């Protein structure tokens, strides 16, 4: 009847509340969470300060098993240390240890997000193009997910040449860039040679790519002699006498 049904529903609700409270009321979990978060907060702040970074951070601890049963640890016997990696950024594991009264050791995983302004493309860029000031800007990204593949200053990218196509809003890194090859293999070049009293210019052909200031092999097309010359500009190389 209706009365029995209501009593059954009320009883189920009470059991649900009881089990919910019993699942979440675990002082050990609260102690682990507090110790891990306090430790990571300190470690991240020290890392940011020592590195001179302009960054904000977020810490997210992995869900812990509420069924975990170990004795609570005295505050003065509780310690935490970074198990991996060497710096507290990205996926980290914290070792939480208790030395008394009943020793135990647990490993708590966490994700430390470190948000910094990094160099990002403003538009799609083609392989072989030279990055200009209008092609890049700074945007905040989680560098904990980027490893070391990012740049912090647009000047590190401007004037460099792209090794491959880049989409808009893409984080740029050194692996995508190379020095601008202003002379390419097969280019016709002017070979300059001389000193303070005499200067000679000869036609030549580049036998390899070259960036500004780089030494490359060129062929003097008059004598057919192969020499090494320094790239001084587009289509210009300089050889010693």
């Amino acid at each position: 009847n209706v009365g029995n049904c209501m009593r059954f529903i009320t009883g189920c609700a009470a059991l649900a509340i009881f089990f919910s409270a019993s699942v979440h009321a675990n002082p050990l979990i609260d102690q682990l969470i507090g110790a891990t978060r306090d430790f990571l907060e300190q470690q991240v702040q020290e890392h940011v300060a020592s590195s001179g970074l302009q960054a904000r951070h977020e810490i997210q601890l992995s869900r812990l098993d509420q069924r975990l049963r170990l004795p609570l640890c005295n505050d003065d016997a509780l310690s935490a240390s970074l198990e991996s990696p060497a710096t507290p950024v990205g996926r980290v594991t914290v070792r939480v240890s208790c030395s008394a009264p009943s020793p135990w050791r647990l490993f708590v995983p966490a994700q430390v997000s470190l948000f910094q302004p990094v160099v990002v493309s403003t538009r799609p860029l083609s392989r072989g193009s030279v990055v200009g000031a209008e092609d890049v800007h700074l945007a905040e990204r989680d560098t904990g997910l980027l490893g070391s593949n990012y740049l912090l200053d647009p000047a590190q990218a401007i004037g460099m040449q792209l090794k491959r196509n880049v989409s808009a809003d893409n984080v740029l890194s050194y692996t995508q860039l190379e020095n601008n090859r202003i002379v390419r293999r097969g280019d016709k070049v002017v070979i300059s040679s001389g000193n303070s009293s005499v200067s000679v210019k000869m036609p030549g052909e580049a036998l390899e790519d070259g960036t500004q200031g780089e030494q490359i092999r060129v062929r003097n097309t008059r004598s057919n002699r192969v020499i090494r010359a320094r790239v001084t500009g587009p289509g210009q190389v300089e050889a010693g006498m």
Side-chain angles (χ1 to χ4, degrees), residues 10-31:
T10 303
C12 288
L15 284 172
I17 293 171
F18 171 78
F19 282 118
S20 175
S22 65
V23 166
H24 291 91
N26 189 334
L28 175 64
I29 297 297
D30 293 339
Q31 187 177 51

Side-chain angles (χ1 to χ4, degrees), residues 126-147:
S126 302
R127 176 179 178 270
S129 62
V130 178
V131 179
E134 71 282 0
D135 298 326
V136 291
H137 71 291
L138 290 174
E140 191 179 71
R141 294 290 187 273
D142 180 4
T143 55
L145 301 176
L146 300 177

Side-chain angles (χ1 to χ4, degrees), residues 143-197:
T143 55
L145 301 176
L146 300 177
S148 58
N149 296 320
Y150 59 89
L151 305 174
L152 296 174
D153 186 348
Q156 295 173 295
I158 295 172
M160 300 288 278
Q161 193 169 41
L162 287 165
K163 295 181 181 179
R164 52 182 176 271
N165 294 338
V166 169
S167 58
D169 202 38
N170 186 273
V171 176
L172 292 183
S173 69
Y174 280 120
T175 59
Q176 298 168 307
L177 302 168
E178 61 184 355
N179 288 326
N180 180 17
R181 293 170 291 174
I182 58 177
V183 171
R184 294 183 177 272
R185 180 179 179 182
D187 284 356
K188 301 301 181 185
V189 297
V190 175
I191 305 171
S192 300
S193 181
N195 51 39
S196 58
S197 58

Side-chain angles (χ1 to χ4, degrees), residues 53-235:
L53 303 176
Q54 294 181 350
R56 65 180 182 89
H57 68 273
E58 294 177 2
I59 297 172
Q60 184 175 4
L61 302 185
S62 298
R63 187 184 298 274
L64 300 176
D65 189 348
Q66 295 288 337
R67 298 168 299 178
L68 187 63
R69 292 293 180 264
L70 286 171
L72 283 176
C73 188
N74 297 333
D75 288 341
D76 57 355
L78 191 67
S79 63
S81 60
L82 195 61
E83 182 71 12
S84 66
T87 55
V89 180
R91 290 188 177 275
V92 302
T93 301
V94 177
R95 178 173 57 193
V96 183
S97 304
C98 180
S99 58
S102 299
W104 49 257
R105 182 176 63 180
L106 291 171
F107 297 92
V108 182
Q111 177 74 37
V112 178
S113 298
L114 194 65
F115 295 96
Q116 294 177 258
V118 299
V119 179
V120 173
S121 56
T122 58
R123 61 189 180 89
L125 301 172
S126 302
R127 176 179 178 270
S129 62
V130 178
V131 179
E134 71 282 0
D135 298 326
V136 291
H137 71 291
L138 290 174
E140 191 179 71
R141 294 290 187 273
D142 180 4
T143 55
L145 301 176
L146 300 177
S148 58
N149 296 320
Y150 59 89
L151 305 174
L152 296 174
D153 186 348
Q156 295 173 295
I158 295 172
M160 300 288 278
Q161 193 169 41
L162 287 165
K163 295 181 181 179
R164 52 182 176 271
N165 294 338
V166 169
S167 58
D169 202 38
N170 186 273
V171 176
L172 292 183
S173 69
Y174 280 120
T175 59
Q176 298 168 307
L177 302 168
E178 61 184 355
N179 288 326
N180 180 17
R181 293 170 291 174
I182 58 177
V183 171
R184 294 183 177 272
R185 180 179 179 182
D187 284 356
K188 301 301 181 185
V189 297
V190 175
I191 305 171
S192 300
S193 181
N195 51 39
S196 58
S197 58
V198 61
S199 177
V200 179
K201 294 184 182 295
M202 300 157 285
E205 178 186 356
L207 301 181
E208 53 192 345
D209 296 348
T211 62
Q212 183 76 29
E214 186 178 10
Q215 291 271 345
I216 64 170
R217 291 183 303 117
V218 296
R219 176 184 290 111
N220 183 328
T221 52
R222 284 181 182 169
S223 65
N224 213 35
R225 180 187 172 198
V226 176
I227 60 173
R228 295 196 66 82
R230 182 173 59 87
V231 178
T232 58

Side-chain angles (χ1 to χ4, degrees), residues 25-47:
N26 189 334
L28 175 64
I29 297 297
D30 293 339
Q31 187 177 51
L32 285 171
I33 291 173
T36 302
R37 185 172 294 279
D38 289 347
F39 171 76
L40 285 176
E41 283 286 352
Q42 180 183 3
Q43 290 293 303
V44 175
Q45 290 176 16
E46 290 178 357
H47 171 67

